[in-house]
Amino acid sequence: KGEVAELTCTEEYAYGSEKPGGATVTVTLEQMYETKDISYGKDKTLIKKTIVEGEGWDTAKDTAKVTLNVEVATDGASALPGFSSQVLEFNVGNGEVCDALEFAAADMKKREKAILTCSRPSICAEEKLGLKTISAEKVVLTLEMQDFEKAKETHSMSEEEKVEFGAAQKEVGSNLFRSGRMQLAMQRYKKVIELFSHIDNFNEENKGKAKDLKKVCELNLAACLIKVKDFSQARTSCDNVLKDDAQNVKALFRKAQAEFGLKNFDESMRIAKKVVEVDPQNKEARGLYKDAHAEQKKVDQQAKGLFAKMCGGLGKGPIPAPGKSAGPMDEDSDGDEDDADLPETAADPPSEGTENKPSDETSEAAPAS
């Protein structure tokens, strides 16, 4: 920064024949800007451009109180209607402001000034700024991190403090889940999972609480991932629970949902059937089994049609589906046998606990009070 350089150019790189002999250009580097993708999914929907370097290296940690000045809001050219410049005070990660400001605040140094460009205007809607709704296709915010308090680092916490902190973060995530703020909720759940990734040295009481919190957050993370249609990662979160709790109904049900989303209908049916074996009154699992059965039927019919076309010139008569023998009932296989393989059940009320709601609402995994 501030460097001055002279570039000597031949005429073909300067003015051509208009000024034979070339030219000398003096260049001064006045400013350098760092740009960073701070979006949750690293999909470049939220880009921070630092225009004034902050102090030191620290950024605001989770739960730290910050003072953030939102100076300007435009669509890239014109001011956004209704916008009012405000100095906001809030605790990072608690969902007190819109997602765009939450992600920006967690990545800014003290006194840093930045331009935030967002191509998902919905995550910039903030009533405190007069931006309850945004019709623009892009939002550009000018921000300054005026100050933040230094929060205690998790590695400096005692076992009891970590359990208390994890329980509070799980509750924040559940509130965000209920309000539909999936990205910020997923971030909370992941923080708790990471916090309790190494608990071998915890005493037995705290270890049990930590395991329960981690399990709840894995289940809730899976529910969020299903909501945003990231079925592969949802399946992974369910597997993380099932490796220690193979009969966990929520993990099984959400894994069946994930397999359905991945179009693995046979596997979805197999897991949904297992849910019903564990919890015979589970209507959600029975419904999922029927849906997966219907979708698998469509896949089988498509495969049968393709196979018939491939073998059309080989002879006459009906062509059996791949892997099946022709039989007298082949043409009448669309009867009401969708749940014939499921265990019988009485007409009792539906089971609680398999819907995609935060798992802390069930007693099996709630932290001890």
Side-chain angles (χ1 to χ4, degrees):
K1 184 177 177 179
E3 180 181 346
V4 179
E6 285 192 351
L7 303 178
T8 301
C9 307
T10 59
E11 62 180 63
E12 58 264 32
Y13 289 100
Y15 300 99
S17 58
E18 293 180 12
K19 292 186 177 180
T24 300
V25 180
T26 302
V27 179
T28 303
L29 181 59
E30 295 185 349
Q31 189 58 271
M32 294 185 293
Y33 300 111
E34 178 189 12
T35 60
K36 185 178 180 181
D37 181 1
I38 60 170
S39 61
Y40 176 80
K42 298 298 179 243
D43 54 8
K44 299 184 179 180
T45 55
L46 194 62
I47 301 294
K48 179 174 74 77
K49 176 182 177 180
T50 301
I51 56 176
V52 176
E53 196 61 45
E55 299 174 1
W57 299 100
D58 287 341
T59 56
K61 302 298 186 292
D62 287 335
T63 73
K65 185 177 181 180
V66 303
T67 304
L68 183 70
N69 185 13
V70 186
E71 299 178 358
V72 181
T74 74
D75 60 6
S78 306
L80 293 179
F83 171 74
S84 173
S85 176
Q86 296 288 337
V87 176
L88 303 176
E89 291 187 353
F90 57 94
N91 293 92
V92 173
N94 286 356
E96 297 170 23
V97 295
C98 66
D99 288 13
L101 295 182
E102 286 279 8
F103 289 128
D107 198 76
M108 294 181 72
K109 302 171 189 173
K110 194 176 292 187
R111 300 296 177 188
E112 178 181 342
K113 192 168 183 178
I115 294 175
L116 194 66
T117 302
C118 178
S119 56
R120 288 186 59 212
S122 61
I123 68 170
C124 299
E126 177 53 65
E127 196 167 359
K128 295 173 185 174
L129 300 174
L131 300 176
K132 187 174 182 179
T133 58
I134 301 174
S135 58
E137 294 183 359
K138 180 175 72 172
V139 174
V140 180
L141 302 173
T142 302
L143 313 172
E144 182 186 11
M145 177 60 74
Q146 292 186 346
D147 197 10
F148 60 77
E149 295 177 358
K150 188 173 178 61
K152 191 170 186 177
E153 300 273 6
T154 54
H155 63 76
S156 302
M157 295 180 181
S158 66
E159 290 179 18
E160 290 74 16
E161 288 174 325
K162 286 182 179 179
V163 170
E164 184 180 353
F165 179 80
Q169 288 296 288
K170 181 265 298 176
E171 188 59 34
V172 169
S174 296
N175 290 333
L176 291 164
F177 179 98
R178 294 185 190 101
S179 61
R181 297 174 68 177
M182 295 301 156
Q183 290 190 341
L184 207 57
M186 288 190 286
Q187 188 185 65
R188 297 302 93 201
Y189 294 140
K190 283 187 174 182
K191 294 276 187 180
V192 178
I193 292 167
E194 291 168 3
L195 178 64
F196 298 127
S197 58
H198 301 289
I199 57 174
D200 291 341
N201 294 327
F202 279 28
N203 66 44
E204 288 305 311
E205 182 182 358
N206 288 328
K207 186 183 293 186
K209 291 178 180 179
K211 283 183 176 179
D212 284 347
L213 282 167
K214 186 179 180 182
K215 178 167 68 173
V216 169
C217 288
E218 284 281 18
L219 289 169
N220 288 353
L221 177 59
C224 289
L225 290 163
I226 289 169
K227 289 280 189 183
V228 301
K229 302 188 185 306
D230 189 347
F231 301 114
S232 181
Q233 286 301 314
R235 179 173 59 187
T236 298
S237 286
C238 293
D239 285 337
N240 289 340
V241 174
L242 292 169
K243 67 184 179 183
D244 295 320
D245 185 3
Q247 300 297 309
N248 188 286
V249 172
K250 282 194 173 186
L252 287 169
F253 180 71
R254 289 174 189 170
K255 185 174 181 180
Q257 287 182 304
E259 296 291 3
F260 185 93
L262 292 167
K263 302 189 184 304
N264 299 328
F265 303 121
D266 273 337
E267 183 66 6
S268 180
M269 289 167 61
R270 185 189 69 79
I271 300 171
K273 183 178 178 181
K274 188 172 182 179
V275 173
V276 176
E277 289 171 353
V278 176
D279 180 10
Q281 306 302 322
N282 196 310
K283 288 191 174 181
E284 292 86 1
R286 288 178 175 274
L288 179 59
Y289 181 95
K290 288 183 178 181
D291 291 343
H293 187 278
E295 291 300 319
Q296 186 59 46
K297 235 186 224 184
K298 293 177 185 177
V299 172
D300 290 343
Q301 288 296 324
Q302 290 170 356
K304 184 177 180 180
L306 178 61
F307 188 70
K309 287 180 180 178
M310 291 172 61
C311 301
L314 299 180
K316 297 181 180 180
I319 304 297
K324 295 183 179 180
S325 299
M329 297 300 290
D330 282 354
E331 299 303 317
D332 298 315
S333 60
D334 293 331
D336 296 329
E337 78 289 356
D338 288 3
D339 59 350
D341 293 334
L342 296 179
E344 294 293 332
T345 178
D348 290 337
S351 168
E352 298 288 342
T354 52
E355 298 176 18
N356 281 340
K357 59 185 179 182
S359 298
D360 56 296
E361 294 180 7
T362 63
S363 59
E364 66 165 338
S369 57

PDB file of all heavy atoms in Angstrom, residues 126-156:
ATOM      1  N   GLU A 126     -34.529  -6.574   8.058  1.00  0.00           N
ATOM      2  CA  GLU A 126     -34.334  -6.230   9.468  1.00  0.00           C
ATOM      3  C   GLU A 126     -35.218  -5.029   9.822  1.00  0.00           C
ATOM      4  O   GLU A 126     -34.981  -3.905   9.376  1.00  0.00           O
ATOM      5  CB  GLU A 126     -32.866  -5.917   9.735  1.00  0.00           C
ATOM      6  CG  GLU A 126     -32.551  -5.466  11.149  1.00  0.00           C
ATOM      7  CD  GLU A 126     -33.087  -6.452  12.180  1.00  0.00           C
ATOM      8  OE1 GLU A 126     -32.625  -7.608  12.225  1.00  0.00           O
ATOM      9  OE2 GLU A 126     -33.993  -6.042  12.945  1.00  0.00           O
ATOM     10  N   GLU A 127     -36.214  -5.299  10.639  1.00  0.00           N
ATOM     11  CA  GLU A 127     -37.188  -4.264  10.993  1.00  0.00           C
ATOM     12  C   GLU A 127     -36.544  -3.092  11.716  1.00  0.00           C
ATOM     13  O   GLU A 127     -36.979  -1.943  11.578  1.00  0.00           O
ATOM     14  CB  GLU A 127     -38.293  -4.890  11.853  1.00  0.00           C
ATOM     15  CG  GLU A 127     -39.532  -4.030  11.968  1.00  0.00           C
ATOM     16  CD  GLU A 127     -40.722  -4.780  12.544  1.00  0.00           C
ATOM     17  OE1 GLU A 127     -40.579  -5.987  12.836  1.00  0.00           O
ATOM     18  OE2 GLU A 127     -41.787  -4.154  12.690  1.00  0.00           O
ATOM     19  N   LYS A 128     -35.487  -3.355  12.490  1.00  0.00           N
ATOM     20  CA  LYS A 128     -34.822  -2.281  13.229  1.00  0.00           C
ATOM     21  C   LYS A 128     -34.190  -1.250  12.303  1.00  0.00           C
ATOM     22  O   LYS A 128     -33.897  -0.129  12.711  1.00  0.00           O
ATOM     23  CB  LYS A 128     -33.746  -2.876  14.137  1.00  0.00           C
ATOM     24  CG  LYS A 128     -34.304  -3.761  15.239  1.00  0.00           C
ATOM     25  CD  LYS A 128     -33.190  -4.456  15.993  1.00  0.00           C
ATOM     26  CE  LYS A 128     -33.749  -5.443  17.009  1.00  0.00           C
ATOM     27  NZ  LYS A 128     -32.678  -6.232  17.668  1.00  0.00           N
ATOM     28  N   LEU A 129     -33.945  -1.647  11.039  1.00  0.00           N
ATOM     29  CA  LEU A 129     -33.359  -0.737  10.050  1.00  0.00           C
ATOM     30  C   LEU A 129     -34.409  -0.175   9.095  1.00  0.00           C
ATOM     31  O   LEU A 129     -34.065   0.499   8.125  1.00  0.00           O
ATOM     32  CB  LEU A 129     -32.287  -1.476   9.238  1.00  0.00           C
ATOM     33  CG  LEU A 129     -31.100  -2.044  10.014  1.00  0.00           C
ATOM     34  CD1 LEU A 129     -30.202  -2.863   9.087  1.00  0.00           C
ATOM     35  CD2 LEU A 129     -30.298  -0.932  10.695  1.00  0.00           C
ATOM     36  N   GLY A 130     -35.665  -0.493   9.351  1.00  0.00           N
ATOM     37  CA  GLY A 130     -36.724  -0.067   8.435  1.00  0.00           C
ATOM     38  C   GLY A 130     -36.835  -0.955   7.213  1.00  0.00           C
ATOM     39  O   GLY A 130     -37.453  -0.587   6.219  1.00  0.00           O
ATOM     40  N   LEU A 131     -36.231  -2.137   7.285  1.00  0.00           N
ATOM     41  CA  LEU A 131     -36.212  -3.058   6.139  1.00  0.00           C
ATOM     42  C   LEU A 131     -36.976  -4.339   6.484  1.00  0.00           C
ATOM     43  O   LEU A 131     -36.442  -5.442   6.459  1.00  0.00           O
ATOM     44  CB  LEU A 131     -34.765  -3.400   5.761  1.00  0.00           C
ATOM     45  CG  LEU A 131     -33.876  -2.224   5.361  1.00  0.00           C
ATOM     46  CD1 LEU A 131     -32.441  -2.701   5.121  1.00  0.00           C
ATOM     47  CD2 LEU A 131     -34.419  -1.529   4.113  1.00  0.00           C
ATOM     48  N   LYS A 132     -38.255  -4.182   6.807  1.00  0.00           N
ATOM     49  CA  LYS A 132     -39.063  -5.355   7.157  1.00  0.00           C
ATOM     50  C   LYS A 132     -39.208  -6.274   5.956  1.00  0.00           C
ATOM     51  O   LYS A 132     -39.176  -7.493   6.076  1.00  0.00           O
ATOM     52  CB  LYS A 132     -40.434  -4.908   7.658  1.00  0.00           C
ATOM     53  CG  LYS A 132     -41.277  -6.036   8.206  1.00  0.00           C
ATOM     54  CD  LYS A 132     -42.557  -5.520   8.827  1.00  0.00           C
ATOM     55  CE  LYS A 132     -43.373  -6.666   9.426  1.00  0.00           C
ATOM     56  NZ  LYS A 132     -44.625  -6.171  10.052  1.00  0.00           N
ATOM     57  N   THR A 133     -39.395  -5.685   4.785  1.00  0.00           N
ATOM     58  CA  THR A 133     -39.426  -6.446   3.534  1.00  0.00           C
ATOM     59  C   THR A 133     -38.515  -5.751   2.531  1.00  0.00           C
ATOM     60  O   THR A 133     -38.361  -4.523   2.560  1.00  0.00           O
ATOM     61  CB  THR A 133     -40.847  -6.535   2.949  1.00  0.00           C
ATOM     62  OG1 THR A 133     -41.355  -5.218   2.723  1.00  0.00           O
ATOM     63  CG2 THR A 133     -41.785  -7.281   3.897  1.00  0.00           C
ATOM     64  N   ILE A 134     -37.923  -6.544   1.641  1.00  0.00           N
ATOM     65  CA  ILE A 134     -37.005  -6.011   0.628  1.00  0.00           C
ATOM     66  C   ILE A 134     -37.404  -6.558  -0.735  1.00  0.00           C
ATOM     67  O   ILE A 134     -37.500  -7.778  -0.908  1.00  0.00           O
ATOM     68  CB  ILE A 134     -35.543  -6.389   0.939  1.00  0.00           C
ATOM     69  CG1 ILE A 134     -35.136  -5.833   2.317  1.00  0.00           C
ATOM     70  CG2 ILE A 134     -34.602  -5.873  -0.140  1.00  0.00           C
ATOM     71  CD1 ILE A 134     -33.762  -6.284   2.766  1.00  0.00           C
ATOM     72  N   SER A 135     -37.639  -5.670  -1.686  1.00  0.00           N
ATOM     73  CA  SER A 135     -38.031  -6.102  -3.036  1.00  0.00           C
ATOM     74  C   SER A 135     -36.852  -6.133  -4.002  1.00  0.00           C
ATOM     75  O   SER A 135     -36.964  -6.684  -5.098  1.00  0.00           O
ATOM     76  CB  SER A 135     -39.129  -5.181  -3.587  1.00  0.00           C
ATOM     77  OG  SER A 135     -38.679  -3.830  -3.622  1.00  0.00           O
ATOM     78  N   ALA A 136     -35.726  -5.553  -3.611  1.00  0.00           N
ATOM     79  CA  ALA A 136     -34.547  -5.517  -4.488  1.00  0.00           C
ATOM     80  C   ALA A 136     -33.971  -6.917  -4.664  1.00  0.00           C
ATOM     81  O   ALA A 136     -34.147  -7.795  -3.827  1.00  0.00           O
ATOM     82  CB  ALA A 136     -33.481  -4.585  -3.906  1.00  0.00           C
ATOM     83  N   GLU A 137     -33.275  -7.121  -5.780  1.00  0.00           N
ATOM     84  CA  GLU A 137     -32.641  -8.413  -6.052  1.00  0.00           C
ATOM     85  C   GLU A 137     -31.284  -8.548  -5.362  1.00  0.00           C
ATOM     86  O   GLU A 137     -30.764  -9.652  -5.230  1.00  0.00           O
ATOM     87  CB  GLU A 137     -32.464  -8.602  -7.565  1.00  0.00           C
ATOM     88  CG  GLU A 137     -33.787  -8.710  -8.318  1.00  0.00           C
ATOM     89  CD  GLU A 137     -33.586  -8.966  -9.790  1.00  0.00           C
ATOM     90  OE1 GLU A 137     -32.413  -9.039 -10.223  1.00  0.00           O
ATOM     91  OE2 GLU A 137     -34.585  -9.082 -10.510  1.00  0.00           O
ATOM     92  N   LYS A 138     -30.729  -7.425  -4.936  1.00  0.00           N
ATOM     93  CA  LYS A 138     -29.421  -7.430  -4.273  1.00  0.00           C
ATOM     94  C   LYS A 138     -29.431  -6.368  -3.191  1.00  0.00           C
ATOM     95  O   LYS A 138     -30.075  -5.328  -3.327  1.00  0.00           O
ATOM     96  CB  LYS A 138     -28.312  -7.145  -5.296  1.00  0.00           C
ATOM     97  CG  LYS A 138     -26.908  -7.133  -4.709  1.00  0.00           C
ATOM     98  CD  LYS A 138     -25.845  -6.960  -5.789  1.00  0.00           C
ATOM     99  CE  LYS A 138     -25.811  -5.557  -6.353  1.00  0.00           C
ATOM    100  NZ  LYS A 138     -24.651  -5.336  -7.255  1.00  0.00           N
ATOM    101  N   VAL A 139     -28.714  -6.626  -2.107  1.00  0.00           N
ATOM    102  CA  VAL A 139     -28.599  -5.653  -1.021  1.00  0.00           C
ATOM    103  C   VAL A 139     -27.115  -5.405  -0.751  1.00  0.00           C
ATOM    104  O   VAL A 139     -26.338  -6.357  -0.644  1.00  0.00           O
ATOM    105  CB  VAL A 139     -29.285  -6.160   0.269  1.00  0.00           C
ATOM    106  CG1 VAL A 139     -29.031  -5.195   1.421  1.00  0.00           C
ATOM    107  CG2 VAL A 139     -30.782  -6.328   0.041  1.00  0.00           C
ATOM    108  N   VAL A 140     -26.759  -4.136  -0.645  1.00  0.00           N
ATOM    109  CA  VAL A 140     -25.379  -3.749  -0.330  1.00  0.00           C
ATOM    110  C   VAL A 140     -25.414  -2.889   0.933  1.00  0.00           C
ATOM    111  O   VAL A 140     -26.031  -1.826   0.946  1.00  0.00           O
ATOM    112  CB  VAL A 140     -24.725  -2.973  -1.492  1.00  0.00           C
ATOM    113  CG1 VAL A 140     -23.284  -2.598  -1.128  1.00  0.00           C
ATOM    114  CG2 VAL A 140     -24.747  -3.794  -2.772  1.00  0.00           C
ATOM    115  N   LEU A 141     -24.762  -3.372   2.000  1.00  0.00           N
ATOM    116  CA  LEU A 141     -24.746  -2.672   3.282  1.00  0.00           C
ATOM    117  C   LEU A 141     -23.338  -2.189   3.601  1.00  0.00           C
ATOM    118  O   LEU A 141     -22.364  -2.910   3.366  1.00  0.00           O
ATOM    119  CB  LEU A 141     -25.208  -3.608   4.411  1.00  0.00           C
ATOM    120  CG  LEU A 141     -26.598  -4.238   4.277  1.00  0.00           C
ATOM    121  CD1 LEU A 141     -26.806  -5.264   5.383  1.00  0.00           C
ATOM    122  CD2 LEU A 141     -27.692  -3.191   4.314  1.00  0.00           C
ATOM    123  N   THR A 142     -23.243  -0.991   4.144  1.00  0.00           N
ATOM    124  CA  THR A 142     -21.965  -0.473   4.633  1.00  0.00           C
ATOM    125  C   THR A 142     -21.991  -0.537   6.151  1.00  0.00           C
ATOM    126  O   THR A 142     -22.880   0.048   6.788  1.00  0.00           O
ATOM    127  CB  THR A 142     -21.729   0.971   4.163  1.00  0.00           C
ATOM    128  OG1 THR A 142     -21.766   1.024   2.732  1.00  0.00           O
ATOM    129  CG2 THR A 142     -20.368   1.479   4.634  1.00  0.00           C
ATOM    130  N   LEU A 143     -21.020  -1.245   6.738  1.00  0.00           N
ATOM    131  CA  LEU A 143     -21.019  -1.535   8.169  1.00  0.00           C
ATOM    132  C   LEU A 143     -19.721  -1.090   8.823  1.00  0.00           C
ATOM    133  O   LEU A 143     -18.667  -1.097   8.186  1.00  0.00           O
ATOM    134  CB  LEU A 143     -21.178  -3.045   8.415  1.00  0.00           C
ATOM    135  CG  LEU A 143     -22.277  -3.801   7.654  1.00  0.00           C
ATOM    136  CD1 LEU A 143     -22.118  -5.302   7.889  1.00  0.00           C
ATOM    137  CD2 LEU A 143     -23.650  -3.327   8.079  1.00  0.00           C
ATOM    138  N   GLU A 144     -19.810  -0.755  10.103  1.00  0.00           N
ATOM    139  CA  GLU A 144     -18.613  -0.510  10.900  1.00  0.00           C
ATOM    140  C   GLU A 144     -18.786  -1.195  12.255  1.00  0.00           C
ATOM    141  O   GLU A 144     -19.784  -0.981  12.952  1.00  0.00           O
ATOM    142  CB  GLU A 144     -18.360   0.976  11.121  1.00  0.00           C
ATOM    143  CG  GLU A 144     -17.079   1.219  11.920  1.00  0.00           C
ATOM    144  CD  GLU A 144     -16.864   2.675  12.287  1.00  0.00           C
ATOM    145  OE1 GLU A 144     -17.806   3.481  12.113  1.00  0.00           O
ATOM    146  OE2 GLU A 144     -15.761   2.998  12.769  1.00  0.00           O
ATOM    147  N   MET A 145     -17.826  -2.040  12.614  1.00  0.00           N
ATOM    148  CA  MET A 145     -17.828  -2.672  13.928  1.00  0.00           C
ATOM    149  C   MET A 145     -17.205  -1.691  14.920  1.00  0.00           C
ATOM    150  O   MET A 145     -15.985  -1.574  15.012  1.00  0.00           O
ATOM    151  CB  MET A 145     -17.030  -3.977  13.897  1.00  0.00           C
ATOM    152  CG  MET A 145     -16.922  -4.675  15.243  1.00  0.00           C
ATOM    153  SD  MET A 145     -18.497  -5.133  15.974  1.00  0.00           S
ATOM    154  CE  MET A 145     -18.944  -6.528  14.949  1.00  0.00           C
ATOM    155  N   GLN A 146     -18.051  -0.994  15.663  1.00  0.00           N
ATOM    156  CA  GLN A 146     -17.539   0.032  16.566  1.00  0.00           C
ATOM    157  C   GLN A 146     -16.866  -0.572  17.797  1.00  0.00           C
ATOM    158  O   GLN A 146     -15.844  -0.073  18.264  1.00  0.00           O
ATOM    159  CB  GLN A 146     -18.678   0.969  16.988  1.00  0.00           C
ATOM    160  CG  GLN A 146     -19.207   1.814  15.845  1.00  0.00           C
ATOM    161  CD  GLN A 146     -20.228   2.840  16.303  1.00  0.00           C
ATOM    162  OE1 GLN A 146     -20.753   2.782  17.419  1.00  0.00           O
ATOM    163  NE2 GLN A 146     -20.529   3.795  15.441  1.00  0.00           N
ATOM    164  N   ASP A 147     -17.441  -1.664  18.306  1.00  0.00           N
ATOM    165  CA  ASP A 147     -16.859  -2.249  19.512  1.00  0.00           C
ATOM    166  C   ASP A 147     -17.482  -3.624  19.755  1.00  0.00           C
ATOM    167  O   ASP A 147     -18.560  -3.933  19.235  1.00  0.00           O
ATOM    168  CB  ASP A 147     -17.132  -1.355  20.724  1.00  0.00           C
ATOM    169  CG  ASP A 147     -16.225  -1.662  21.907  1.00  0.00           C
ATOM    170  OD1 ASP A 147     -15.255  -2.432  21.724  1.00  0.00           O
ATOM    171  OD2 ASP A 147     -16.496  -1.144  23.000  1.00  0.00           O
ATOM    172  N   PHE A 148     -16.803  -4.453  20.523  1.00  0.00           N
ATOM    173  CA  PHE A 148     -17.409  -5.691  21.013  1.00  0.00           C
ATOM    174  C   PHE A 148     -16.731  -6.110  22.310  1.00  0.00           C
ATOM    175  O   PHE A 148     -15.558  -5.804  22.547  1.00  0.00           O
ATOM    176  CB  PHE A 148     -17.353  -6.822  19.979  1.00  0.00           C
ATOM    177  CG  PHE A 148     -15.985  -7.227  19.522  1.00  0.00           C
ATOM    178  CD1 PHE A 148     -15.159  -8.027  20.309  1.00  0.00           C
ATOM    179  CD2 PHE A 148     -15.516  -6.813  18.277  1.00  0.00           C
ATOM    180  CE1 PHE A 148     -13.893  -8.411  19.867  1.00  0.00           C
ATOM    181  CE2 PHE A 148     -14.257  -7.187  17.827  1.00  0.00           C
ATOM    182  CZ  PHE A 148     -13.439  -7.990  18.632  1.00  0.00           C
ATOM    183  N   GLU A 149     -17.503  -6.784  23.148  1.00  0.00           N
ATOM    184  CA  GLU A 149     -16.976  -7.288  24.402  1.00  0.00           C
ATOM    185  C   GLU A 149     -16.294  -8.628  24.156  1.00  0.00           C
ATOM    186  O   GLU A 149     -16.709  -9.392  23.286  1.00  0.00           O
ATOM    187  CB  GLU A 149     -18.101  -7.457  25.427  1.00  0.00           C
ATOM    188  CG  GLU A 149     -18.754  -6.136  25.824  1.00  0.00           C
ATOM    189  CD  GLU A 149     -19.924  -6.337  26.780  1.00  0.00           C
ATOM    190  OE1 GLU A 149     -20.239  -7.514  27.096  1.00  0.00           O
ATOM    191  OE2 GLU A 149     -20.515  -5.335  27.195  1.00  0.00           O
ATOM    192  N   LYS A 150     -15.292  -8.902  24.926  1.00  0.00           N
ATOM    193  CA  LYS A 150     -14.562 -10.168  24.774  1.00  0.00           C
ATOM    194  C   LYS A 150     -15.286 -11.254  25.565  1.00  0.00           C
ATOM    195  O   LYS A 150     -15.359 -11.204  26.791  1.00  0.00           O
ATOM    196  CB  LYS A 150     -13.121 -10.016  25.248  1.00  0.00           C
ATOM    197  CG  LYS A 150     -12.248 -11.230  24.943  1.00  0.00           C
ATOM    198  CD  LYS A 150     -10.812 -10.951  25.286  1.00  0.00           C
ATOM    199  CE  LYS A 150      -9.921 -12.151  25.042  1.00  0.00           C
ATOM    200  NZ  LYS A 150      -9.906 -12.578  23.637  1.00  0.00           N
ATOM    201  N   ALA A 151     -15.833 -12.226  24.852  1.00  0.00           N
ATOM    202  CA  ALA A 151     -16.514 -13.347  25.507  1.00  0.00           C
ATOM    203  C   ALA A 151     -15.499 -14.421  25.878  1.00  0.00           C
ATOM    204  O   ALA A 151     -14.429 -14.521  25.275  1.00  0.00           O
ATOM    205  CB  ALA A 151     -17.582 -13.922  24.581  1.00  0.00           C
ATOM    206  N   LYS A 152     -15.865 -15.240  26.835  1.00  0.00           N
ATOM    207  CA  LYS A 152     -14.972 -16.301  27.284  1.00  0.00           C
ATOM    208  C   LYS A 152     -14.851 -17.373  26.214  1.00  0.00           C
ATOM    209  O   LYS A 152     -15.850 -17.838  25.668  1.00  0.00           O
ATOM    210  CB  LYS A 152     -15.492 -16.928  28.583  1.00  0.00           C
ATOM    211  CG  LYS A 152     -14.495 -17.845  29.261  1.00  0.00           C
ATOM    212  CD  LYS A 152     -14.965 -18.231  30.653  1.00  0.00           C
ATOM    213  CE  LYS A 152     -13.889 -19.024  31.391  1.00  0.00           C
ATOM    214  NZ  LYS A 152     -14.305 -19.351  32.775  1.00  0.00           N
ATOM    215  N   GLU A 153     -13.626 -17.768  25.914  1.00  0.00           N
ATOM    216  CA  GLU A 153     -13.392 -18.816  24.923  1.00  0.00           C
ATOM    217  C   GLU A 153     -13.839 -20.163  25.498  1.00  0.00           C
ATOM    218  O   GLU A 153     -13.645 -20.434  26.688  1.00  0.00           O
ATOM    219  CB  GLU A 153     -11.905 -18.881  24.568  1.00  0.00           C
ATOM    220  CG  GLU A 153     -11.334 -17.605  23.993  1.00  0.00           C
ATOM    221  CD  GLU A 153     -11.501 -17.511  22.491  1.00  0.00           C
ATOM    222  OE1 GLU A 153     -12.165 -18.400  21.921  1.00  0.00           O
ATOM    223  OE2 GLU A 153     -10.970 -16.563  21.911  1.00  0.00           O
ATOM    224  N   THR A 154     -14.400 -21.027  24.645  1.00  0.00           N
ATOM    225  CA  THR A 154     -14.893 -22.316  25.134  1.00  0.00           C
ATOM    226  C   THR A 154     -13.766 -23.187  25.686  1.00  0.00           C
ATOM    227  O   THR A 154     -13.980 -23.960  26.616  1.00  0.00           O
ATOM    228  CB  THR A 154     -15.640 -23.078  24.033  1.00  0.00           C
ATOM    229  OG1 THR A 154     -14.794 -23.202  22.873  1.00  0.00           O
ATOM    230  CG2 THR A 154     -16.916 -22.375  23.641  1.00  0.00           C
ATOM    231  N   HIS A 155     -12.553 -23.050  25.120  1.00  0.00           N
ATOM    232  CA  HIS A 155     -11.446 -23.878  25.619  1.00  0.00           C
ATOM    233  C   HIS A 155     -11.004 -23.459  27.016  1.00  0.00           C
ATOM    234  O   HIS A 155     -10.278 -24.194  27.694  1.00  0.00           O
ATOM    235  CB  HIS A 155     -10.257 -23.834  24.647  1.00  0.00           C
ATOM    236  CG  HIS A 155      -9.635 -22.484  24.475  1.00  0.00           C
ATOM    237  ND1 HIS A 155      -8.811 -21.912  25.413  1.00  0.00           N
ATOM    238  CD2 HIS A 155      -9.725 -21.585  23.454  1.00  0.00           C
ATOM    239  CE1 HIS A 155      -8.410 -20.722  24.999  1.00  0.00           C
ATOM    240  NE2 HIS A 155      -8.949 -20.492  23.811  1.00  0.00           N
ATOM    241  N   SER A 156     -11.440 -22.279  27.462  1.00  0.00           N
ATOM    242  CA  SER A 156     -11.101 -21.816  28.806  1.00  0.00           C
ATOM    243  C   SER A 156     -12.184 -22.157  29.822  1.00  0.00           C
ATOM    244  O   SER A 156     -12.029 -21.886  31.018  1.00  0.00           O
ATOM    245  CB  SER A 156     -10.891 -20.291  28.799  1.00  0.00           C
ATOM    246  OG  SER A 156      -9.880 -19.919  27.894  1.00  0.00           O
TER     247      SER A 156
END
